[in-house]
Amino acid sequence: AKGNKHCYMLFNAEKTWFQSKRTCENLGGYLVTITHADEMEFIWNQFGKIFEGGAKTWRGPWIGYSDAVDEGKWQWINSEVAVVGQDAIYSNWYENEPDNCCGGEDCAMIAGGQWTNKRNDNKCHFLLPFICEKNM
């Protein structure tokens, strides 16, 4: 899938966040960074159907967003900043997320299922599909 001169590829093989990150980097890309609503819409139009249905809720793909380095300070892995206007940051968290639940959740994924394209924080060792992004 192409947009903004970037290429996006969904991997259905479920991996941990760190394995996903490494896989993308080994392919010359990076775990997807979604810094604008238009980009999110494009990606979800391409891949969202795969994550439809109640059974897919919380089974959506990993994205390159984490607060593992500094708890509560979420950062895109390539240091991009999601600025969409004067001091407005593109945020797409599901309601009451991130919640750092249950002993800590430091890695972000797209929720999928009934929460569709909203972000959620999850445990980095969970096994989920993932999306890589590569500059053309």
Side-chain angles (χ1 to χ4, degrees):
K2 284 183 191 170
N4 65 6
K5 294 209 165 57
H6 290 206
C7 178
Y8 301 89
M9 193 170 194
L10 171 71
F11 290 80
N12 270 320
E14 298 185 349
K15 299 188 177 210
T16 69
W17 188 86
F18 291 102
Q19 288 169 336
S20 301
K21 178 177 180 288
R22 199 172 312 122
T23 298
C24 294
E25 289 165 358
N26 288 344
L27 294 168
Y30 47 92
L31 200 49
V32 68
T33 58
I34 306 168
T35 54
H36 202 277
D38 291 347
E39 189 177 13
M40 181 72 248
E41 189 178 339
F42 175 83
I43 289 167
W44 211 243
N45 284 340
Q46 298 294 322
F47 306 124
K49 288 179 192 62
I50 294 162
F51 302 104
E52 284 175 356
K56 290 291 186 181
T57 303
W58 308 127
R59 302 299 305 160
W62 287 124
I63 59 175
Y65 205 45
S66 169
D67 73 341
V69 174
D70 188 356
E71 178 58 43
K73 187 176 178 208
W74 286 86
Q75 297 173 311
W76 292 106
I77 51 168
N78 60 358
S79 305
E80 268 184 274
V81 181
V83 179
V84 292
Q86 193 170 359
D87 300 328
I89 300 283
Y90 171 61
S91 179
N92 193 35
W93 292 106
Y94 183 68
E95 195 179 330
N96 299 322
E97 302 291 349
D99 60 2
N100 203 38
C101 172
C102 326
E105 296 180 319
D106 292 337
C107 295
M109 40 89 76
I110 302 171
Q114 65 188 101
W115 311 132
T116 66
N117 68 355
K118 294 295 184 192
R119 287 199 297 250
N120 174 48
D121 57 337
N122 211 331
K123 297 203 179 309
C124 302
H125 67 268
F126 278 15
L127 301 176
L128 293 170
F130 57 100
I131 298 173
C132 294
E133 180 174 359
K134 195 173 184 177
N135 302 341
M136 299 298 280

